Amino acid sequence: MRRWLGAVVAVGLLGACEPLDEPGGGGTTGDVLFDRGFAFVRSDRNIYVVDDDGDPNSPERLTTAGNAYTPSISRDGTSIVFVQRVGSTSSLQTVPTTGGPVATLLSTNDAACGTCTNFRGPTFSPDGRTIVFAFDRGSGSISSLARIAVNGSGFTELTPGATINHGSPSFFPNGTTVVAPAGSNTFQYNQLAFVPVGGGSPSYTSSLGNEVLAIANRAVVSPDGRQVALDARLSSGSTRIFVGNVTSVGLSGSLRRLTDYTASTVQESFPSWTGSTTLGFLFNDSGGDPSIYRAPVSSTASSVTLAVPAANEPFYGPI
């Protein structure tokens, strides 16, 4: 298998990092050259970016307060939305991709959303006007999806009265529907939910094939809206990226593996489309530091190339 290693500077981290009990926001004030590339977190739980034309060994740090999770880049490439967690409090925050002040859009138990808590997987709409995310109504409650405007106003629950849990959403290109993992609990996302953003009943796909036990973190729609990629938990205990054809109401055909790795020690997660036929994702083997890799999407499993060393929870944009 092909691997581009280059002059990689090893940075010790990551795995399941505990959040730092450090309040507040705080971004950088310098000018960051960012046009297109990856946003991610490192062991200090701050947001970083690296442009495709930049040095992957020297990413730019955009926040300083730590406690950041699951960044997502807007379709115009100017803003990143992410979750900050401090103790039992979570908030949705944004920071410019060029560096600058952090803005808080919504926090746990804000009046706008009542008992909402545990925000997860925020993502921008294609037109950049709204953000959709997963949240809990209270400790131990069913997780739901909601949308807010990019200024934090207009909280609207998309799956009210849900009897099934929903995970991190991803928009179809037309902006009218999101797809999200769904299941009996956050450790058993064994379905895909197709949820209208403007209101209406979701559709659910319960058959993910014989290999896939559950979706580990996210399912993401390709830029052309024809494919979905997800990180699947297998019976071996490993997690692999799968790709399948999709419509706005369900899967079309069978899921197929992205890479040609066979070792049970390999862990692949957090897929993000870097084009209509390529994916970036988190890769870890034998307990080493996870890094971001790329692989082409085709009818057969592919080899991979290293994109960014020592990174976690990647998201690519804009596309």
Side-chain angles (χ1 to χ4, degrees), residues 3 37 64 66 72 137 151 195 211 216 232 274:
R3 295 190 190 184
T64 59
S72 176
R137 266 294 174 202
N151 64 1
V195 182
E211 287 189 276
T274 60

Side-chain angles (χ1 to χ4, degrees), residues 1-228:
M1 302 167 190
R2 299 187 303 273
R3 295 190 190 184
W4 173 78
L5 296 177
V8 173
V9 178
V11 179
L13 43 108
L14 259 167
C17 302
E18 293 296 325
L20 306 173
D21 291 326
E22 183 177 328
T28 61
T29 57
D31 292 328
V32 177
L33 297 177
F34 182 84
D35 178 61
R36 178 180 287 109
F38 286 101
F40 53 93
V41 298
R42 280 189 158 173
S43 59
D44 60 359
R45 279 290 160 186
N46 281 303
I47 303 295
Y48 290 78
V49 293
V50 61
D51 191 84
D52 279 353
D53 293 329
D55 181 359
N57 298 293
S58 300
E60 297 285 349
R61 187 177 68 178
L62 300 184
T63 66
T64 59
N67 305 300
Y69 292 79
T70 57
S72 176
I73 304 172
S74 62
R75 298 298 176 94
D76 64 2
T78 64
S79 184
I80 291 173
V81 62
F82 62 97
V83 173
Q84 188 185 56
R85 298 176 187 159
V86 181
S88 60
T89 298
S90 62
S91 60
L92 296 179
Q93 300 188 349
T94 57
V95 64
T97 54
T98 53
V102 171
T104 298
L105 308 182
L106 189 71
S107 293
T108 294
N109 296 329
D110 276 359
C113 63
T115 58
C116 62
T117 187
N118 192 23
F119 303 142
R120 301 184 303 285
T123 187
F124 287 97
S125 62
D127 63 10
R129 297 179 180 178
T130 60
I131 294 167
V132 174
F133 58 97
F135 75 103
D136 294 347
R137 266 294 174 202
S139 179
S141 67
I142 293 292
S143 57
S144 188
L145 297 181
R147 72 169 190 267
I148 57 171
V150 292
N151 64 1
S153 66
F155 175 89
T156 302
E157 189 169 355
L158 301 181
T159 52
T163 58
I164 189 171
N165 291 275
H166 297 79
S168 302
S170 174
F171 272 92
F172 278 83
N174 61 14
T176 63
T177 305
V178 294
V179 64
S184 57
N185 58 65
T186 56
F187 300 101
Q188 193 63 27
Y189 288 139
N190 56 4
Q191 302 181 45
L192 284 173
F194 299 80
V195 182
V197 176
S201 300
S203 301
Y204 293 91
T205 294
S206 58
S207 177
L208 301 178
N210 295 328
E211 287 189 276
V212 179
L213 296 184
I215 301 169
N217 296 290
R218 66 166 63 140
V220 287
V221 181
S222 63
D224 59 10
R226 297 180 179 179
Q227 298 185 90
V228 65

Side-chain angles (χ1 to χ4, degrees), residues 227-287:
Q227 298 185 90
V228 65
L230 53 86
D231 47 0
R233 189 178 297 116
L234 310 182
S235 59
S236 64
S238 64
T239 303
R240 300 295 173 85
I241 306 298
F242 281 72
V243 181
N245 296 329
V246 72
T247 69
S248 61
V249 295
L251 287 174
S252 176
S254 301
L255 294 169
R256 60 191 185 278
R257 288 198 190 191
L258 175 68
T259 73
D260 55 8
Y261 285 100
T262 58
S264 61
T265 54
V266 169
Q267 304 292 334
E268 302 169 350
S269 59
F270 289 98
S272 182
W273 292 88
T274 60
S276 291
T277 58
T278 55
L279 279 166
F281 58 98
L282 197 68
F283 178 92
N284 193 345
D285 188 13
S286 301

